[in-house]
Structure formats: C-alpha cells, structure tokens
Amino acid sequence: MDEEEKKLQENVDQIKVKFLRLVHRLGHSPEDLMVEQVLYRLSLAEGIRRGRQIGRAFGLENAKKKALQLEDEGKEPLDFSCNILLLGKTGVGKSATVNSIFGEQKVSTSAFDPATTSVREITGIVGGVKVRVIDTPGLRPSVMDQAANKRILESIKKHTKRCQPDIVLYVDRLDTQAWDFNDLPLLRSIAVSMGPSIWFNAIVGLTHAASAPPDGSSGNPLSYEVFVNQRSRVVQHAIRQAAGDMRLMNPVALVENHPLCRRNREGQPILPNGLSWRTQLLLLCYSSKILSEANRILKLQDPSPSKLFGFRTRSPPLPFLLSSLLQSKAHPKLATDQGIDNGDSDFDVDDLSEADKEEEEGEEDEYDRLPPFKPLRKAQIAKLTKEQRRAYYDEYDYRVKLLQKKQWKEELRRAQEMKKRQKEGQDFSSFDDMAGDYDQDGAPATIPVPLPDMVLPPTFDCDNPAYRYRFLEPTSQLLSRPVLDSHGWDHDCGYDGVSVEDNLAIAGKFPAGIAAQITKDKKEFNIHLDSSIAAKHGETGSTLAGFDIQSVGKQLAYVLRSETKLKNLRRNKTAAGVSVTFLGENVATGLKVEDELMVGKRLGLVASAGTVRAQGDAAYGANLEVRLRDKEFPIGQDLSTLGLSLMRWRVSVLIGRGTKMTTRVGLNNKRSGQITIRINSSEQLQIALMGILPVVASIYRGIFSEDSG
Ligand SMILES: Nc1nc2c(ncn2[C@@H]2O[C@H](COP(=O)(O)OP(=O)(O)OP(=O)(O)O)[C@@H](O)[C@H]2O)c(=O)[nH]1
Ligand SMILES: [Mg+2]
C-alpha cells in the first residue's frame, strides 16, 4: 500500500466514523438497513477507486467503536452540517416540514393562502448537527403559471448561489391522486431553471403521510405499503420524465406535519406503520451528503451522490449516435439540377444510352397509342364487381406509370441537352429558356404535360382525418402531412403529430432541405429536425452542412454535421463526413467514410465505417448494404435492401475489457424483416456470422426470385 492509498483509506475511515456518529445521534442502530447500505457503498467506492474490491470488516468494526467512543466522550465536535433546499407546489406543506424538522414554529403556514412569499433561510441545531433549511414560495402546476414559477425559481437560484444546498427535498402530498402527469410542466420548469442535474441528488418528501389509504380496485382499502409505493412511483416517474433520464430513482421520505401526529416513547412523531419519519428523513439527508463527500475525496468521476445511490450519470448513447451518423443521406439538390451529374445525383444522364432511347421512343408511342380512357366516377366505381374494380385500377396504374415514364424521359433528355449545350459554352440560366428553345425549334412541347383527369381515390373523402387535411392543390413547396401511428393504442384518430418538409434554394444557388417532425401524445413530446444545405464543386463534388435535432431518450441532441461527396468514377461515389453532437452536458464527435458503388443499373453496394467518441469512450461501426432498385426505376420507387452492420462499443470504462458486439441484419422490401443477434465477445462474433450467412443468403435469394417473378 503506497502513501496515497493509505491517505485515502484514512479519509474513508474518517467519513465512516462521522457517519456512524450521526447515526448514533439520530438514535438509529448501525444495523439499520439504510445505514448498512451507505457503509457498503462507501467501501465499494473505495474499492472502485483502488481498482479492486476490498472487504475490510475489521475497519468497519473499528469505525463503529471509534464513533461510540467519541460520542461518549463528547469532546471532539462533529464536523458536519446539512443544507436542505425545499421545493414544491404551494400548500403541500413545505413550511410545515421546516417546523417539524426543527420541532418548533419557525415559519408561518397557512391552509388557505400561499403562505411563503419569499425565499427564507432557517438555521438551527438538530441533534447537535447544524441544519440549514431554505424554505421557498410554492410553485404552481398549471402550464399558464410557468412564467410566475420562473421568477420564483430565479430568486431561488440566486439564493443557492450564495448558499449551495447539499440536498434538494422535493415536497408533494402523499394523499393526492395524481395519476396524470399534471405536474410535468412544473417539474420541467425546475429542471430548466436550476439545471436538470438538480434532480440527481433530490429526495422526494411526501407529506400527509398519516392519511388513510384509499380503496383499491377490489373495494377494500389498499394496504399502507401499497399506497405509499404507488404514490412514490408516480412522483418518481414524473421526475424521471422531467430530468430526461429513465434510470433516475429518487429516494422517498415520508413526512407527517400534523401537530397531533402519534409519537413514540422518545417523543418522535411516527407514521401508521410505526416508522419514525423525522429521524428517517434526516438520516436520508445525512447519508446523501456523506456519500457525496466521500465521492469528492475519492475523486470519482461523478461528484454527485446519485451514482452511489444506484443511478448512473448519462453518458451519451454512442451506438445510437453512430448508427445515425452512418446512415447515408442524400444531399439536397436544386430543382434545376435534378437530372444533371452532380456529386450526388441518383442517376446518370449517360444512363440514357442509345438502346434506351430507342426503347423510350417505342414506349412513348405506347402511351400515346393507348386507346382513350375515361376515368370513372366514384359512384360508378362502387357499382363495379370486385374483379372489374381490380381490372380498372390495374389499368389506371399502368397508364399512370407509362405517363410518368414518358415525362421522366423527357426531363432526362432535357437535362442531357442542357449539359451538352453547357459543354458547348452556352449559358442557360433556367429551364424556362430551354422550354422556349424547344418551342422555337418546333420540337414537341415538353412542359407541362397535363395528367389525365383523375378521379380521386375513395380515401379522399373518407372519415380518416389523415386525408381530410390534405391540400389538394398545394400552394407552396412546403409539404406537410400528419404523422400516423398505426401502433398507437390510445388514439381515437390514429395520428399524433405533423411533419413538414421543404426544399429551397438559398441565394439562388445553394440547395437546402429542411424536414421537421413533431409528435406529441399525452406523455411525450418529440421533435426531429433535419436540415442541410449543400454546395457543388464543379461537376462531381458536393459538400453538405447540416443541423439536426433528435430526441435521444428524453433528451434533445443537437447535431452539426458536414459531409463531402465525390463522384470519382462513373459509378462510384465516395463520401467523408464529420459530426459534432451536443447532448446535455456531453459533446460527442464522429467521423465516417462511405462508398457507394453501382453495379449495373439496379444493384448498388454501400459500405460505410465510422467512429463516435465522447468522454474517452468510443464506439466503432461499419455498415454494408446491398440495394436493389425497382425494375422501373426511377418511376418505380421500390427498393429492396439487405444490410449488415457491426458495432463495437466498450460497455464500461471501469471494467475495460468487456466489449459488446451487435450484429443486425436488416431486410426490407416493404415487407420488412430484421434479424438481430447480440453477442458478447469477438470470437463468438465470427461463429455467429457464419451462422447468419446461410440465412441471409436464402432470404436474399427469396427476394430476388420474388422480384423477378
Ligand atoms: N394533516 C397534515 N397537514 C399538513 C401537513 N403538512 C402541511 N399541512 C397543512 O397544510 C397547510 C399548508 O401548509 P404550508 O406548510 O403552509 O404549505 P407550503 O408548502 O409552505 O405552502 P406555500 O408556502 O404556499 O408554498 C397548513 O395548514 C398545514 O398545517 C401534513 O403532513 N399533514
Ligand atoms: Mg410555505
């Protein structure tokens, strides 16, 4: 054991003695469950710091003896004080709790009006320990009142800057039946004003704890334990939501401030289950502070006591960030650039080979040669038999497809023409000129080709609200549509959000795209925003800068990303990109390379690899995807993909050697499927891979044959 370790051990021993003295003063036994837990955590923390687990039963016995001895002598003062910040709705009994803690009428309470109007600090000695409580004005739960709450919270914050609280006691009533999340706006306001970390060393205090339990579903009153548990879970869950961390589990203390509360022989107020709530509350506060002191001394990475109480701080979910980084994203394009070679065009003008042209002419004729077709009215369709109706729709689809094809080819030809002219040094500012040219040349008019007079499919006037709000005549480029949630079980209308997309050109030449999706149901609000702007370099390169907002768990992640794509060979595109993600207090940086190779006209291979790192933690991943386009591409948009992704992420910095591998085989041709295999070490990965390959091969063959069949 070197000097440093010895010092460390001494410090931990001192903390243990101090804690045991506090326990003694509260009249609790060292064998009390909570006391044992804290002592266990302390030795655990010490072990973690030293890199190994140590059980020093001997040390603990010594500490107990020493604590008793010091208390008996009563000479050495106890170096400990506790600052408690009270927060909560108005009228829940914060001020009454202050009075209970000190055992005397220190502040005024009122049953009918908000009694506390400003932040007040009350100090006193409780069982030989200096306790300072900060009583605060009550907050209001309604969304409307959050501005008022903000003012109160600002004044509290100002106060806490002067006097840092050790513990936050969030006070609520045990006997309110709040199953809803009515308090969420208030809890969020607290998180926003004071910082979400405020919830990480908060204790929940439930007042009116001597209330009789309500009747359960069977008609009999619930047992007291069930009653307390249910209420605790509701408050804990609301706090988890507000703090944005699902792992958070705030300890709960019960409080009964009624002056006629039953007392035990020592004069301590007790609850219906015999628990001496006041000493229990103080013990919880002291324990929490002791653990955070220990953490500071041990210089564990996380200074909050939360870690030792069983919750971990949030480290960014690197695999999630990595997989979104690895997704290949199309660069936005100018409307006039759609058909032209750029770094990120989906197709190649040169694809339109001579053979195609011949075929195309044939097809063009084909569309024009079709016999006249009269769309039916809804009433007429209703009269058709099932088979007739199917035949009618088939014919309809076939015509639409042919027409689209014709228009597409015309557009391609125009683009090709434009490219040719550009090469010849001619300057075109827009397509209108082109159209003009065509007219002058006497070439067939290319735009606009009117669509056949369409009868709207029956869904348009049905009761489904998804269609009711659709613009039939779009007045702007802005595309907005409802987000449907087919899995939603508690929606009567089946949709729960809206998504908006827009494509625009900034300064006339930088194409930009923005897509936002907002969903909201009773409990959750989610926002997803993708925005990007691209700049072309010459014919083949394109650079993109983007800003995204994503919901990660209950938190928002802000992502800045940039990517450059180069079309280096005729059928190969290479991209390299970086990303910076801001998630809470964490910043994660990512790096990726991607290569996309087209084999033939329909088959593409996309390979990408990347890494994301944050706080010394890193995740590595690679994706391989095979894409098979629709036979009718670009008119048919069916895309079959087969993906394989590998990810490697250190599970824990502490353990160091543990690695986790995730293998995912995604399969999608609209009837999507997925195989996921999770394993725990690299040797097993190879075995698993060998196991998957035949499965993958057979499924893929299945798709191939289905496609051609
Ligand atoms: N029976 C019972 N009554 C309580 C308890 N706690 C508080 N009360 C009563 O509830 C009323 C409101 O309590 P206060 O302490 O003034 O509430 P507060 O949270 O300080 O309210 P503001 O100062 O307005 O934020 C008072 O009449 C208290 O006597 C409790 O645990 N049991
Ligand atoms: Mg008060």
Side-chain angles (χ1 to χ4, degrees):
M1 198 190 293
D2 61 18
E3 264 320 289
E4 197 196 347
E5 280 195 11
K6 218 177 227 160
K7 190 107 181 282
L8 202 86
Q9 191 178 330
E10 251 165 45
N11 280 333
V12 174
D13 284 348
Q14 264 173 19
I15 291 180
K16 282 184 186 164
V17 171
K18 197 198 283 185
F19 179 62
L20 286 163
R21 287 179 71 182
L22 287 166
V23 171
H24 181 85
R25 290 191 185 186
L26 287 172
H28 279 250
S29 131
E31 273 76 47
D32 184 294
L33 191 64
M34 200 194 315
V35 177
E36 287 205 323
Q37 265 183 0
V38 172
L39 291 170
Y40 173 71
R41 298 276 189 203
L42 282 174
S43 34
L44 204 64
E46 190 186 7
I48 288 171
R49 175 64 217 276
R50 297 230 212 121
R52 62 173 185 272
Q53 211 95 336
I54 41 159
R56 284 194 304 126
F58 176 73
L60 186 58
E61 284 312 311
N62 270 357
K64 282 180 188 168
K65 262 188 230 141
K66 180 105 188 270
L68 273 186
Q69 186 199 338
L70 287 175
E71 283 303 286
D72 284 344
E73 287 172 5
K75 270 189 264 170
E76 193 177 317
L78 182 58
D79 169 31
F80 188 84
S81 68
C82 196
N83 293 353
I84 304 171
L85 170 66
L86 293 179
L87 289 178
K89 282 173 288 185
T90 179
V92 291
K94 295 181 295 301
S95 305
T97 306
V98 176
N99 294 336
S100 297
I101 288 176
F102 292 107
E104 55 182 297
Q105 200 69 23
K106 291 248 190 192
V107 285
S108 64
T109 61
S110 157
F112 304 105
D113 300 305
T116 314
T117 49
S118 62
V119 181
R120 276 202 57 187
E121 197 177 298
I122 306 100
T123 44
I125 305 291
V126 179
V129 177
K130 189 174 171 208
V131 174
R132 176 187 288 151
V133 184
I134 304 158
D135 190 16
T136 60
L139 300 167
R140 295 179 173 276
S142 119
V143 182
M144 304 299 179
D145 292 322
Q146 296 311 306
N149 281 351
K150 213 171 156 206
R151 277 195 296 279
I152 296 175
L153 287 164
E154 282 309 314
S155 67
I156 296 174
K157 199 170 161 190
K158 222 189 261 163
H159 194 97
T160 56
K161 278 210 182 107
R162 264 188 288 134
C163 160
Q164 192 84 42
D166 300 311
I167 309 296
V168 174
L169 185 64
Y170 176 72
V171 185
D172 204 343
R173 285 176 70 148
L174 173 68
D175 61 340
T176 38
Q177 301 268 325
W179 298 109
D180 266 327
F181 291 90
N182 295 335
D183 295 342
L184 213 50
L186 175 144
L187 295 171
R188 288 239 165 90
S189 292
I190 295 178
V192 168
S193 292
M194 315 286 287
S197 62
I198 187 152
W199 293 117
F200 287 87
N201 56 0
I203 294 172
V204 176
L206 296 176
T207 59
H208 294 253
S211 310
D215 287 350
S217 48
S218 63
N220 296 324
L222 294 173
S223 79
Y224 186 73
E225 271 65 38
V226 172
F227 173 44
V228 170
N229 266 339
Q230 281 186 350
R231 179 72 185 133
S232 306
R233 254 181 282 149
V234 170
V235 180
Q236 284 169 334
H237 188 70
I239 291 179
R240 269 199 291 274
Q241 298 245 320
D245 191 326
M246 287 299 123
R247 290 167 301 193
L248 197 59
M249 186 81 156
N250 297 87
V252 174
L254 296 170
V255 174
E256 176 50 69
N257 296 316
H258 199 281
L260 298 180
C261 179
R262 256 174 62 205
R263 288 175 190 266
N264 62 10
R265 261 176 287 146
E266 288 87 48
Q268 293 290 349
I270 55 169
L271 297 179
N273 63 359
L275 186 83
S276 158
W277 70 262
R278 187 173 159 273
T279 57
Q280 197 70 25
L281 170 68
L282 291 170
L283 180 61
L284 197 54
C285 294
Y286 296 169
S287 304
S288 197
K289 166 135 196 215
I290 283 282
L291 287 174
S292 65
E293 259 183 28
N295 269 0
R296 242 193 330 270
I297 289 173
L298 294 167
K299 293 197 192 66
L300 287 180
Q301 277 172 328
D302 168 21
S304 86
S306 48
K307 191 167 194 169
L308 292 173
F309 257 135
F311 10 101
R312 302 210 320 250
T313 46
R314 282 162 291 176
S315 72
L318 295 186
F320 174 80
L321 299 180
L322 183 59
S323 70
S324 70
L325 173 70
L326 286 183
Q327 262 166 28
S328 63
K329 285 182 179 150
H331 290 198
K333 274 164 273 183
L334 286 177
T336 48
D337 256 358
Q338 292 288 359
I340 303 182
D341 264 342
N342 63 7
D344 188 36
S345 64
D346 280 340
F347 60 92
D348 202 322
V349 183
D350 300 328
D351 282 352
L352 205 66
S353 60
E354 287 308 309
D356 277 347
K357 268 187 187 159
E358 275 162 32
E359 183 199 337
E360 161 211 333
E361 259 140 42
E363 268 175 32
E364 211 169 354
D365 283 339
E366 203 180 335
Y367 178 75
D368 292 337
R369 270 200 319 247
L370 285 175
F373 178 77
K374 194 163 172 294
L376 300 178
R377 281 174 198 292
K378 210 175 126 197
Q380 288 172 312
I381 292 175
K383 272 192 224 134
L384 298 178
T385 67
K386 218 173 178 178
E387 261 128 68
Q388 282 173 320
R389 204 176 305 167
R390 195 182 313 140
Y392 171 76
Y393 282 130
D394 281 350
E395 172 70 19
Y396 196 96
D397 284 348
Y398 177 65
R399 280 166 180 266
V400 169
K401 217 169 220 174
L402 279 189
L403 180 67
Q404 280 177 334
K405 209 168 198 166
K406 174 177 156 171
Q407 288 174 329
W408 181 258
K409 298 253 154 134
E410 269 160 10
E411 215 156 280
L412 260 190
R413 191 145 26 78
R414 244 184 302 145
Q416 214 177 18
E417 187 77 14
M418 181 145 120
K419 198 174 140 193
K420 208 169 80 199
R421 293 195 187 197
Q422 262 176 353
K423 270 197 195 130
E424 286 163 8
Q426 292 182 29
D427 186 29
F428 290 95
S429 47
S430 79
F431 265 81
D432 296 341
D433 295 357
M434 298 283 313
D437 272 13
Y438 270 110
D439 284 347
Q440 281 162 20
D441 293 342
T446 48
I447 42 172
V449 181
L451 274 171
D453 182 18
M454 275 202 270
V455 175
L456 296 178
T459 42
F460 273 92
D461 44 344
C462 73
D463 286 334
N464 189 337
Y467 296 104
R468 231 189 278 156
Y469 303 115
R470 188 130 112 186
F471 284 155
L472 288 185
E473 275 187 48
T475 47
S476 75
Q477 289 274 63
L478 204 67
L479 190 66
S480 69
R481 51 186 170 219
V483 177
L484 291 161
D485 180 13
S486 47
H487 304 297
W489 46 273
D490 59 350
H491 302 289
D492 17 290
C493 57
Y495 74 100
D496 57 6
V498 64
S499 88
V500 179
E501 279 170 43
D502 197 10
N503 284 307
L504 59 161
I506 289 173
K509 59 180 180 188
F510 298 110
I514 182 159
Q517 177 167 319
I518 296 169
T519 52
K520 163 102 187 75
D521 66 10
K522 274 196 211 111
K523 294 174 205 139
E524 281 174 22
F525 172 79
N526 272 308
I527 179 165
H528 190 111
L529 175 106
D530 270 323
S531 65
S532 45
I533 177 165
K536 267 176 66 176
H537 327 288
E539 289 279 275
T540 55
S542 164
T543 294
L544 163 143
F547 173 67
D548 299 345
I549 302 178
Q550 291 174 344
S551 296
V552 176
K554 292 286 163 291
Q555 256 186 322
L556 288 183
Y558 303 92
V559 188
L560 287 172
R561 59 193 162 81
S562 166
E563 184 184 282
T564 299
K565 252 188 207 186
L566 273 181
K567 196 164 186 171
N568 35 21
L569 297 167
R570 205 163 87 76
R571 293 188 167 274
N572 190 54
K573 277 183 258 172
T574 306
V578 289
S579 76
V580 184
T581 305
F582 300 88
L583 182 71
E585 296 126 37
N586 296 309
V587 179
T589 51
L591 197 69
K592 79 155 174 182
V593 288
E594 182 184 297
D595 196 78
E596 185 181 346
L597 179 70
M598 287 301 297
V599 184
K601 280 186 73 175
R602 293 176 57 205
L603 191 66
L605 284 171
V606 187
S608 56
T611 169
V612 171
R613 36 188 82 226
Q615 297 175 316
D617 196 7
Y620 304 89
N623 266 345
L624 184 68
E625 195 171 275
V626 184
R627 295 179 185 166
L628 186 69
R629 282 174 179 165
D630 197 301
K631 263 193 298 228
E632 310 270 6
F633 182 83
I635 287 108
Q637 289 286 338
D638 261 2
L639 185 69
S640 307
T641 60
L642 179 76
L644 182 70
S645 61
L646 294 177
M647 197 166 283
R648 184 172 185 274
W649 182 41
R650 282 171 76 172
V651 186
S652 152
V653 205
L654 282 177
I655 302 165
R657 273 184 299 277
T659 56
K660 186 163 88 181
M661 289 277 196
T662 315
T663 307
R664 177 187 65 86
V665 178
L667 188 66
N668 192 335
N669 78 337
K670 297 269 165 70
R671 280 143 279 184
S672 65
Q674 197 169 56
I675 301 171
T676 305
I677 292 184
R678 280 173 198 279
I679 35 180
N680 274 324
S681 92
S682 46
E683 295 100 282
Q684 279 150 15
L685 175 78
Q686 284 144 9
I687 302 167
L689 263 183
M690 275 168 7
I692 318 167
L693 278 174
V695 187
V696 172
S698 69
I699 296 172
Y700 200 65
R701 237 178 287 129
I703 291 185
F704 257 116
S705 52
E706 196 182 277
D707 256 313
S708 48

